[in-house]
């Protein structure tokens, strides 16, 4: 009997979200739509320059864990915070959502990670992340009972930036596979894929990772092609199951020779794309761990992503279980 549906592992980050115009990005040398890694000094500078902001617990896999819990699933999380104000904010938020979070916090420096997220009028988000305490997540933080007790372990590609985290992921995957569980990852962003292409492909081809989540830019970056169809044909061979999101075009799920095309959820207004991929993964994995069809999994992912992009911040304010029931999906 599994203790959890999904164990999520990621960078525990508090998002500081503000709206800005295109000129702000240009004037401050920010790459639009990317996750830019920054140091503490640059984090302070951007914080003083940005407009009124909302603080919200984030981090890609943390958002996914919160989404799974909102669907009524049993979620656990590994991620490193410091014993400081933002660390307390993150810990409170994820536990209040119903996620099991027991990673021991750091005493002292570096501080809890923060990401200055600038949202332009088109809803696109440009992230400027100081990883802080995240870089200390390592093998000592792997809780073997959770690793072997979750149906699926899910981790973010961003974890390849801090070196100790790689060891923690490989150790967790070994526990999971030894217990007959599955391991999944999200490619995170196309710049992240550029940095670790060979390692990500090795994780998939070696069987360390069974399920891959990506968007169309990331999968094309992974296979260094401008053709979505060509990239799709490649990933079909490289992993057991892949779910590829395509913004307003919905998503495509492939498993062996099987292909399932999912429509995007109709929305009233695009406010902020932060968390869209994270919440798609939450819906998909919730359906998957409940034994639902791939179409149901994709529809649940589409619903969650469609809801979160109509608000500021990466964690759904609605009860996703109730929303899915009203949509006839659960």
């Amino acid at each position: 009997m599994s203790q959890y549906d999904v164990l999520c592992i990621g960078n525990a980050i508090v998002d500081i979200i503000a709206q800005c115009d295109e000129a702000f990005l240009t004037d401050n040398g920010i790459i639009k739509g990317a996750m830019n890694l920054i140091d503490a000094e640059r984090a302070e500078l951007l914080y003083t320059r940005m407009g009124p902001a909302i603080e919200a617990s984030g981090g890609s896999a943390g958002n996914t864990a919160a989404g799974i819990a909102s669907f009524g699933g049993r979620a656990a999380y590994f991620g490193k915070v410091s014993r400081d104000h933002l660390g307390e904010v993150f810990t409170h938020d994820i536990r209040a959502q119903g996620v099991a979070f027991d990673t021991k916090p750091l005493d002292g420096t570096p501080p809890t990670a923060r990401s200055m997220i600038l949202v332009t009028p088109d809803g696109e988000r440009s992230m400027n992340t100081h990883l802080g305490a995240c870089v200390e997540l390592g093998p000592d933080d792997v809780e073997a009972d959770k690793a072997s007790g979750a149906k699926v372990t899910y981790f973010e590609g961003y974890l390849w930036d801090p070196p100790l985290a790689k060891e923690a992921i490989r150790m967790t995957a070994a526990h999971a596979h030894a217990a007959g569980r599955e391991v999944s990852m999200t490619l995170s962003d196309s710049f992240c894929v550029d940095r670790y292409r060979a390692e990500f492909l090795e994780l998939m081809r070696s069987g360390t990772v069974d399920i891959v989540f990506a968007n169309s830019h990331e999968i094309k970056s992974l296979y260094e092609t401008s053709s979505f169809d060509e990239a799709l044909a490649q990933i079909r061979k490289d992993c057991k199951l892949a779910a590829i999101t395509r913004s307003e075009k919905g998503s495509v799920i492939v498993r062996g020779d099987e292909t399932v095309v999912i429509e995007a959820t109709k929305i009233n207004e695009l406010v902020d794309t932060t968390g869209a991929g994270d919440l798609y993964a939450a819906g998909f994995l919730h359906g998957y761990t409940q034994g639902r069809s791939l179409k149901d999994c994709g529809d649940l992912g589409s619903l969650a992503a469609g809801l979160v992009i109509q608000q500021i911040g990466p964690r759904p304010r609605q009860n996703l279980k109730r929303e899915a029931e009203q949509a006839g999906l659960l």
Side-chain angles (χ1 to χ4, degrees), residues 77-91:
Y77 180 74
F78 295 168
K80 202 78 165 170
V81 295
S82 209
R83 229 181 270 277
D84 55 20
H85 168 63
L86 290 183
E88 285 167 14
V89 168
F90 185 92
T91 302

Side-chain angles (χ1 to χ4, degrees), residues 259-276:
T259 305
V260 180
V261 178
I262 304 292
E263 283 184 27
T265 297
K266 302 264 187 300
I267 63 166
N268 296 320
E269 184 193 7
L270 173 62
V271 175
D272 173 14
T273 56
T274 313

Side-chain angles (χ1 to χ4, degrees), residues 32-111:
K32 184 175 176 175
M35 193 279 281
N36 308 276
L37 286 175
I38 58 172
D39 59 18
E41 200 178 332
R42 171 114 170 119
E44 287 298 324
L45 177 72
L46 285 178
Y47 187 64
T48 59
R49 290 183 179 175
M50 66 200 285
I54 293 168
E55 278 184 12
S57 294
S60 174
N63 299 335
T64 300
I68 288 160
S70 183
F71 272 113
R74 297 164 304 158
Y77 180 74
F78 295 168
K80 202 78 165 170
V81 295
S82 209
R83 229 181 270 277
D84 55 20
H85 168 63
L86 290 183
E88 285 167 14
V89 168
F90 185 92
T91 302
H92 168 269
D93 287 356
I94 200 160
R95 286 180 179 163
Q97 200 93 41
V99 177
F101 174 47
D102 303 303
T103 309
K104 191 170 177 291
L106 269 185
D107 287 311
T109 56

Side-chain angles (χ1 to χ4, degrees), residues 39-240:
D39 59 18
E41 200 178 332
R42 171 114 170 119
E44 287 298 324
L45 177 72
L46 285 178
Y47 187 64
T48 59
R49 290 183 179 175
M50 66 200 285
I54 293 168
E55 278 184 12
S57 294
S60 174
N63 299 335
T64 300
I68 288 160
S70 183
F71 272 113
R74 297 164 304 158
Y77 180 74
F78 295 168
K80 202 78 165 170
V81 295
S82 209
R83 229 181 270 277
D84 55 20
H85 168 63
L86 290 183
E88 285 167 14
V89 168
F90 185 92
T91 302
H92 168 269
D93 287 356
I94 200 160
R95 286 180 179 163
Q97 200 93 41
V99 177
F101 174 47
D102 303 303
T103 309
K104 191 170 177 291
L106 269 185
D107 287 311
T109 56
T112 297
R114 71 275 328 257
S115 183
M116 265 59 73
I117 301 182
L118 285 312
V119 183
T120 36
D122 58 0
E124 185 65 71
R125 82 273 186 268
S126 307
M127 297 181 284
N128 304 273
T129 306
H130 175 48
L131 285 176
C134 291
V135 301
E136 300 298 325
L137 181 75
D140 291 348
D141 296 305
V142 174
E143 298 162 59
D145 58 333
K146 289 189 174 83
S148 53
K151 292 178 186 173
V152 176
T153 288
Y154 170 87
F155 69 90
E156 56 190 68
Y158 288 137
L159 283 175
W160 248 241
D161 284 317
L164 282 173
K166 294 185 192 186
E167 294 175 51
I169 294 298
R170 293 190 188 279
M171 185 184 287
T172 307
H175 284 301
H177 283 141
R181 312 298 193 184
E182 289 181 294
V183 176
S184 61
M185 77 174 290
T186 168
L187 296 185
S188 293
D189 80 18
S190 46
F191 294 92
C192 184
V193 173
D194 281 340
R195 293 195 288 275
Y196 304 110
R197 182 177 293 106
E199 289 177 74
F200 286 176
L201 286 168
E202 187 271 329
L203 286 170
M204 291 156 56
R205 290 168 179 167
S206 67
T208 303
V209 166
D210 307 291
I211 305 166
V212 174
F213 292 89
N215 65 29
S216 53
H217 302 298
E218 292 153 10
I219 188 180
K220 287 191 283 191
S221 170
L222 184 66
Y223 293 108
E224 298 180 277
T225 176
S226 56
S227 161
F228 178 75
D229 291 337
E230 192 179 308
L232 202 62
Q234 287 286 344
I235 204 162
R236 206 187 278 278
K237 290 186 273 191
D238 282 341
C239 64
K240 287 197 334 204

